[in-house]
Amino acid sequence: MDPGSCYFIQPMNKEKRRRIFERLRAANPTPTTELVYRTPFELLVAVILSAQATDKGVNKATARLFAVADTPEAILALGEEGLKAHIRTIGLFNSKAGNIIKTCSILVAEHGGQVPHDRSALEALPGVGRKTANVVLNTAFGEPTMAVDTHIFRVANRTGLASGKTPLAVEQALLRHVPKAFLKDAHHWLILHGRYVCTARKPRCPECPLADLCDYRDKTPPP
Ligand code: SF4
């Protein structure tokens, strides 16, 4: 992953990290994904579809899809072409449809039609990498995992919360450095902060609630 404008710095001290998460929690006590889902299976499908797509676009498509097929068996019954008809507004829908069909077959054949609560079983599913497995483990099963996407990668490096040149390095640093009490919800807070405040091209530093705690040296100046 390209660190872009991120500035690599030493991880910050424990007290600052705690204060950052206290502020994020105070602003949003129960953060969650912006993907709409009702079951672990719907979440898994939505996350597979969300690669290089917006949550809003995915939600529009899954609202149509889940109304007619919300289990692996039902999606297999639709078939790949039937599935594509529901998700063709989403980027890379052809390959995503293929992966979802293969994933549904494995879920039915090997997991009784259920999403496995197990990292290696999740990562063995087509279209499911470490990040998707982390989202499912965290959001569907309540595990304190850290799904490092482009937003978390940027926010962690910029602020100094956790530095790393790869998503895996940032994930491991965050797991080491985020205080335990905040670990389960940390990835949602950091994604939302990156999506809406600490944006890629021009972070909104003048209005950022973390500005006095953030170690980024190239903060956007006040207007
Ligand atoms: S002060 Fe700026 S760089 Fe730091 S977290 Fe806030 S928006 Fe991001």
Side-chain angles (χ1 to χ4, degrees):
M1 191 178 287
D2 181 1
S5 63
C6 300
Y7 193 91
F8 287 91
I9 46 183
Q10 289 302 310
M12 62 179 49
N13 70 47
K14 222 171 158 183
E15 173 60 14
K16 257 193 188 177
R17 278 191 230 111
R18 188 182 58 74
R19 290 175 64 199
I20 283 180
F21 283 104
E22 278 175 356
R23 282 193 201 166
L24 293 172
R25 180 174 63 186
N28 184 3
T30 52
T32 189
T33 175
E34 293 186 318
L35 292 169
V36 176
Y37 72 99
R38 294 167 301 186
T39 62
F41 176 70
E42 288 189 356
L43 177 67
L44 175 65
V45 171
V47 180
I48 292 174
L49 291 174
S50 71
Q52 295 176 51
T54 64
D55 286 0
K56 211 171 157 191
V58 170
N59 289 340
K60 262 192 191 167
T62 54
R64 293 189 299 265
L65 172 64
F66 296 152
V68 295
D70 60 358
T71 62
E73 293 84 351
I75 287 186
L76 287 173
L78 275 184
E80 194 164 327
E81 291 310 311
L83 171 60
K84 281 182 192 172
H86 292 284
I87 64 169
R88 62 176 67 255
T89 50
I90 297 176
L92 309 175
F93 74 92
N94 276 311
S95 58
K96 289 175 182 174
N99 283 334
I100 289 171
I101 290 290
K102 285 184 214 141
T103 282
C104 289
S105 297
I106 295 172
L107 292 179
V108 170
E110 298 178 18
H111 302 288
Q114 301 298 312
V115 175
H117 182 171
D118 176 84
R119 173 183 298 285
S120 51
L122 283 168
E123 288 185 16
L125 298 170
V128 178
R130 185 175 181 87
K131 181 168 68 100
T132 298
N134 277 334
V135 174
V136 172
L137 288 170
N138 176 275
T139 307
F141 297 121
E143 300 274 343
T145 55
M146 197 67 62
V148 176
D149 71 348
T150 181
H151 298 300
I152 296 189
F153 184 76
R154 182 176 67 251
V155 171
N157 274 297
R158 271 184 184 163
T159 55
L161 262 175
S163 301
K165 291 187 178 177
T166 65
L168 183 59
V170 169
E171 175 187 330
Q172 290 168 339
L174 284 168
L175 289 173
R176 273 197 310 276
H177 295 311
V178 174
K180 261 209 173 98
F182 303 105
L183 211 44
K184 190 173 86 60
D185 290 325
H187 104 263
H188 292 305
W189 282 317
L190 296 177
I191 284 176
L192 294 170
H193 191 68
R195 195 173 280 171
Y196 297 113
V197 183
C198 193
T199 46
R201 293 212 182 125
K202 195 176 173 201
R204 297 165 62 189
C205 306
E207 53 203 276
C208 175
L210 309 180
D212 59 316
L213 300 170
C214 166
D215 289 341
Y216 189 45
R217 295 187 197 171
D218 296 327
K219 291 193 181 86
T220 305

